[in-house]
Amino acid sequence: MATRRNNRKWLWWGIGILVVAVTIVAVVLIVKNNTKDESTYNERGQSETKESEKKEEKKEEPEKTKEETTSQKEEVKQYDGEDPNTVETLTGVISYAGVSGGKLLIRVNIDQYLSNGSCKLALTRDGVTIYNSTAAIESSVSTSTCNGFDVPVSEIGNGNFKIEVTLESDNKYGKIAGEVAV
């Protein structure tokens, strides 16, 4: 009986080693395949990397002057549509509205880059304003955000609420609306 257990023990060790070996071989093949995709072969079967081809293409292109390069950069559009920083009204979206840790968290992203201003929150339920709060506008890289609203659920109770955030900055205004169930 002891020999049977020893045989099973060695069988399990053998299977474990086999699984590890197969995994290593699979990883090596995947890595090798990815490296092979990055290179091409010439007529003699020798490997040439795409980088050397790119260098040859660059040599064939004529050198551009600084004026040509500058004029090309001015023509490139980074996005389609109107620049949100030039419109007269402020726009944005409620990026998060949900309950966490006994608080209703409301987060607002603003489409424009603003260096100052305020966000005024109004929560209404059944046409009656239940809660008001104000937060500062903070600038980000190319947009802005309201500093965030953390409303204690104990102050507003449960139910369906309409969210209205009024934005104000440098004589520009906007409203963002949404809904949340608490």
Side-chain angles (χ1 to χ4, degrees), residues 63-81:
E63 294 280 331
K64 294 182 180 178
T65 64
K66 289 182 181 179
E67 293 174 353
E68 290 175 333
T69 308
T70 306
S71 66
Q72 282 182 346
K73 286 182 182 178
E74 291 172 3
E75 296 171 9
V76 175
K77 289 185 180 179
Q78 294 182 358
Y79 55 86
D80 290 334

Side-chain angles (χ1 to χ4, degrees), residues 1-12:
M1 190 108 178
T3 14
R4 229 181 200 182
R5 286 187 181 168
N6 279 342
N7 286 344
R8 286 185 183 166
K9 181 179 170 183
W10 286 108
L11 178 66
W12 285 113

Side-chain angles (χ1 to χ4, degrees), residues 106-172:
I106 300 173
R107 301 296 181 256
V108 178
N109 288 337
I110 304 168
D111 296 332
Q112 291 80 14
Y113 176 82
L114 306 169
S115 58
N116 60 23
S118 65
C119 303
K120 296 177 182 172
L121 169 70
L123 292 176
T124 58
R125 180 177 57 213
D126 301 324
V128 178
T129 300
I130 304 295
Y131 184 86
N132 287 312
S133 182
T134 302
I137 290 178
E138 294 203 14
S139 59
S140 186
V141 176
S142 62
T143 60
S144 302
T145 184
C146 293
N147 206 10
F149 299 99
D150 296 352
V151 182
V153 174
S154 60
E155 290 185 27
I156 61 172
N158 294 330
N160 293 323
F161 292 89
K162 290 190 178 187
I163 303 169
E164 185 175 282
V165 179
T166 304
L167 308 172
E168 181 180 342
S169 177
D170 296 330
N171 295 323
K172 288 186 177 183

